[in-house]
Amino acid sequence: MTDHSNALFQPFMLGDIPVTNRIAMAPLTRNRAARGTDAPHGLNATYYAQRADAGLLISEATQISRQGQGYIWTPGLYSETQVNGWKQVTDAVHAKGGHIIVQLWHVGRVSHVSLQDDGAAPVAPSAIAAKTKTFIETGFAETSMPQALDQAGIDAIIGDYVQAAQNATRAGFDGIELHAANGYLIDQFLKDGTNTRTDRYGGSVENRARFGLEVVDAMLKVFPAKRFGVRISPVSPANDAVTSDPAEVFGYFVAELSKRGIAFIHVVEGATGGPRDVAPFDYAALRRSFKGAYIANNGYTRAMAIEAVAEGRADLVAFGRPFIANPDLVARLRQDAPLNTVNPATLYGGGAEGYTDYPALAA
Ligand code: 8OZ
């Protein structure tokens, strides 16, 4: 049998981002931005710097505006304080020789009036409530009934994405991942269970993909395509977003993204954080239809990741939960060392405990 165990440790050009190995840290919501400003701070810089051996760090989902926030204490990238906070993070990662991109996020309907300016209703393609919970200052809460966006609202959000892309450059990020997965705003437009519009943003596959592609096109006017990627989750039911036609709508969306020459797609295969076989889907066909790189995610073990890269099914593999509990995950995968397990009680919110205090292997 061929020994492929080196496959994860070969360098790669992810568009214009040089990565030293095929291991990405997946975006992970941790709700530890500074209270009041939602800006990253020193503790967050320490956390990312501890994990800087990953070929690519993808930041936790980061809202482009206050309207785009759906959970308490998630970081933003729309105020000067947030730009400066992220600069501390990117400086700390770069000092260790790592690369970090920012995942930009608008949650759409997955929000709560207490997180919105003036207690406004969250926005969405259509006024359909998500059967999913968010967490606010007082704990878990039902998401609020959203209002359907009009054209002015759509245009304003596209403007917020562009501003956030410009801020990403100022904050020192090596690239951007646009969050179009997991039932948030762009995914809400793509999927017919969450988009019942009858205008140019709803109905056909082309219409449902229009919003996401307009966002991409606007961002690519101010940010290089070779440092830009998009995360999708075609069959994930996360946040109550489902579609009757995942092959058609994601096939079209990815083919259009390919035409734009972006660096990568990042695909949540199966149900986010859950079963990979939740619904049939031809990920290999998606990969063939896209000329950039393919980052695979969801439930990969070391053996699965080695095989996927060695067989060419993925260029990088993103690990989520293993990176929470193992700051030195890359070294552990290299040595096939045992992994620490995640403490679920310290995932969301809090301080250093369960964040920067997971032990590395003894030297
Ligand atoms: C877990 C908790 C809150 C948000 C995602 C940004 O699923 C998230 C998220 C995950 O993409």
Side-chain angles (χ1 to χ4, degrees):
M1 260 202 21
T2 326
D3 178 12
H4 288 310
S5 56
N6 274 328
L8 285 182
F9 303 99
Q10 305 304 316
F12 183 72
M13 282 303 290
L14 183 70
D16 281 348
I17 308 171
V19 301
T20 54
N21 59 59
R22 308 306 186 88
I23 299 162
M25 176 173 162
L28 294 160
T29 290
R30 305 303 308 276
N31 310 78
R32 282 166 168 87
R35 300 187 177 197
T37 60
D38 295 325
H41 52 109
L43 180 68
N44 310 122
T46 300
Y47 163 79
Y48 283 106
Q50 284 176 340
R51 291 157 177 78
D53 288 347
L56 183 72
L57 298 175
I58 307 172
S59 83
E60 64 208 274
T62 297
Q63 59 266 6
I64 59 163
S65 63
R66 175 137 160 104
Q67 184 197 64
Q69 182 169 7
Y71 307 81
I72 193 94
W73 308 314
T74 55
L77 189 54
Y78 55 90
S79 76
E80 284 308 296
T81 312
Q82 293 162 355
V83 171
N84 293 333
W86 278 118
K87 185 74 171 54
Q88 280 186 59
V89 173
T90 62
D91 282 347
V93 169
H94 292 152
K96 293 192 71 181
H99 289 92
I100 181 166
I101 67 175
V102 62
Q103 193 196 50
L104 291 177
W105 193 29
H106 189 304
V107 298
R109 67 179 188 161
V110 186
S111 188
H112 189 269
V113 289
S114 69
L115 296 165
Q116 298 287 313
D117 273 336
D118 306 319
V123 299
S126 304
I128 306 168
K131 289 184 201 67
T132 188
K133 285 196 172 8
T134 176
F135 36 91
I136 58 175
E137 189 137 17
T138 49
F140 283 94
E142 294 293 335
T143 53
S144 304
M145 181 69 189
Q147 52 178 322
L149 282 160
D150 60 13
Q151 187 66 52
I154 288 174
D155 294 343
I157 292 171
I158 294 173
D160 290 337
Y161 274 110
V162 171
Q163 183 63 57
Q166 290 169 323
N167 291 347
T169 302
R170 292 196 298 129
F173 283 106
D174 298 295
I176 290 174
E177 174 173 288
L178 180 66
H179 195 348
N182 296 347
Y184 299 108
L185 183 62
I186 294 174
D187 201 30
Q188 289 160 31
F189 272 93
L190 286 163
K191 290 179 173 165
D192 59 14
T194 43
N195 180 349
T196 58
R197 297 176 74 98
T198 53
D199 64 0
R200 53 200 286 275
Y201 294 101
S204 67
V205 158
E206 291 79 4
N207 280 358
R208 279 180 279 137
R210 188 180 313 281
F211 173 70
L213 292 172
E214 285 183 353
V215 168
V216 170
D217 287 337
M219 293 174 86
L220 292 184
K221 291 201 173 104
V222 302
F223 202 86
K226 291 286 173 233
R227 293 180 173 273
F228 189 93
V230 178
R231 193 179 204 213
I232 56 173
S233 55
V235 299
S236 179
N239 290 310
D240 191 28
V242 292
T243 196
S244 63
D245 56 359
E248 290 76 15
V249 70
F250 286 92
Y252 173 77
F253 188 52
V254 166
E256 286 296 313
L257 291 174
S258 189
K259 289 184 195 165
R260 274 100 174 145
I262 65 169
F264 68 88
I265 54 171
H266 178 183
V267 184
V268 181
E269 298 167 345
T272 313
R276 292 178 49 79
D277 58 357
V278 65
F281 193 85
D282 189 350
Y283 298 103
L286 207 61
R287 174 161 172 69
R288 281 194 302 274
S289 71
F290 182 71
K291 61 178 187 266
Y294 185 100
I295 306 181
N297 172 244
N298 203 30
Y300 275 81
T301 61
R302 177 181 187 272
M304 286 163 65
I306 289 170
E307 193 181 275
V309 173
E311 292 179 356
R313 279 183 278 116
D315 297 300
L316 272 72
V317 175
F319 292 88
R321 280 167 295 194
F323 256 117
I324 291 179
N326 299 276
D328 57 346
L329 182 66
V330 171
R332 289 178 193 245
L333 293 177
R334 199 188 286 272
Q335 297 168 40
D336 201 9
L339 303 184
N340 302 321
T341 53
V342 169
N343 176 4
T346 51
L347 281 176
Y348 307 121
E353 189 194 350
Y355 190 55
T356 51
D357 64 353
Y358 282 106
L361 289 170

